Amino acid sequence: SQQGEEDPQALSIQEGENATMNCSYKTSINNLQWYRQNSGRGLVHLILIRSNEREKHSGRLRVTLDTSKKSSSLLITASRAADTASYFCATGGGNKLTFGTGTQLKVEL
Amino acid sequence: DTAVSQTPKYLVTQMGNDKSIKCEQNLGHDTMYWYKQDSKKFLKIMFSYNNKELIINETVPNRFSPKSPDKAHLNLHINSLELGDSAVYFCASSQDVVAGQDTQYFGPGTRLTVL
């Protein structure tokens, strides 16, 4: 069954606002990664957080991980139109990555 | 200077045909993957290879046969194409042999349409 479930499935915000996406998963993990997919393109890695980390920052991105709740969140601050894309969480454990269902983010001018 | 490249970008073919998708990475990575993304954007691992050796085969029909002539290339051959094979196929690579430990780098995708 699908490992990660993102919430919400779709999110529409105005430029400059913050966007928060959540990911829940089912089994124990070594790490959790977030990827972005622009329309018609491949996935691009954004950030990796290990199971012993609780929070990580990269530029306008902030990721949290709560292994007790088996959940993670991705916060994009001061969003831009160029942030419009689908965002996927991916859980790493064993010998493969398992991707979530994705959140489609639309940032409007 | 493309890191992971795939050809072709689009592939339209009739049911029953055989087709191949090629993938090359110039990152020096040891591990390569094939993923299938369906119309709902659900992304699922199909195969992974490490140094030309198959390490993951996720219950994919045996009509799909990956081939890795060297560690920089992982091609996907599909026999007797079916309507349900229509999807976007992504190649990816990573440095670590343990796929779950490392960042993966994705190609631009091949959109396969079976008529």
Side-chain angles (χ1 to χ4, degrees):
Chain A
S1 62
Q2 184 65 11
Q3 171 76 315
E5 299 285 338
E6 273 98 330
D7 170 54
Q9 287 189 335
L11 180 61
S12 183
I13 60 174
Q14 297 293 314
E15 200 173 45
E17 293 180 339
N18 296 341
T20 300
M21 289 158 263
N22 302 297
C23 169
S24 59
Y25 57 92
K26 295 176 183 173
T27 62
S28 61
I29 60 172
N30 294 319
N31 65 68
L32 188 142
Q33 305 181 33
W34 285 90
Y35 287 79
R36 183 188 75 230
Q37 184 179 30
N38 289 86
S39 180
R41 307 291 291 272
L43 280 76
V44 174
H45 180 260
L46 295 176
I47 198 164
L48 181 153
I49 185 166
R50 302 206 181 277
S51 59
N52 61 353
E53 297 176 307
R54 292 294 167 260
E55 188 171 312
K56 204 161 182 180
H57 296 254
S58 176
R60 293 184 296 114
L61 306 180
R62 173 179 167 250
V63 168
T64 63
L65 179 63
D66 187 335
T67 52
S68 67
K69 295 181 179 178
K70 291 187 168 58
S71 68
S72 173
S73 67
L74 170 67
L75 168 68
I76 304 174
T77 60
S79 64
R80 304 167 182 168
D83 295 329
T84 295
S86 293
Y87 292 81
F88 295 87
C89 68
T91 47
N95 64 352
K96 65 181 181 181
L97 278 184
T98 303
F99 285 82
T101 50
T103 292
Q104 287 189 275
L105 172 65
K106 184 174 182 181
V107 181
E108 300 187 67
L109 294 170
Chain B
D1 60 346
T2 304
V4 183
S5 59
Q6 295 177 229
T7 55
K9 188 168 174 60
Y10 300 97
L11 187 53
V12 181
T13 187
Q14 299 287 329
M15 268 198 325
N17 283 351
D18 303 338
K19 290 293 178 185
S20 293
I21 307 172
K22 295 185 176 182
C23 177
E24 177 181 2
Q25 55 95 3
N26 63 6
L27 298 166
H29 288 167
D30 290 336
T31 308
M32 296 183 72
Y33 314 84
W34 277 108
Y35 288 87
K36 180 181 179 180
Q37 187 174 45
D38 64 21
S39 58
K40 295 183 179 178
K41 293 201 168 185
F42 175 43
L43 193 70
K44 186 171 167 59
I45 182 78
M46 299 173 69
F47 301 101
S48 77
Y49 269 72
N50 175 259
N51 271 321
K52 304 193 294 177
E53 185 177 333
L54 179 67
I55 56 175
I56 294 176
N57 182 339
E58 284 286 301
T59 60
V60 177
N62 58 16
R63 297 183 296 104
F64 291 78
S65 53
K67 284 187 171 49
S68 183
D70 55 62
K71 74 172 193 176
H73 295 83
L74 181 62
N75 304 323
L76 184 65
H77 188 75
I78 315 170
N79 288 328
S80 303
L81 279 155
E82 300 177 356
L83 293 177
D85 297 332
S86 294
V88 182
Y89 292 83
F90 287 98
C91 177
S93 72
S94 69
Q95 180 57 55
D96 202 305
V97 64
V98 184
Q101 305 299 326
D102 205 1
T103 298
Q104 294 190 13
Y105 295 80
F106 283 77
T110 295
R111 181 174 293 276
L112 171 65
T113 303
V114 182
L115 303 174

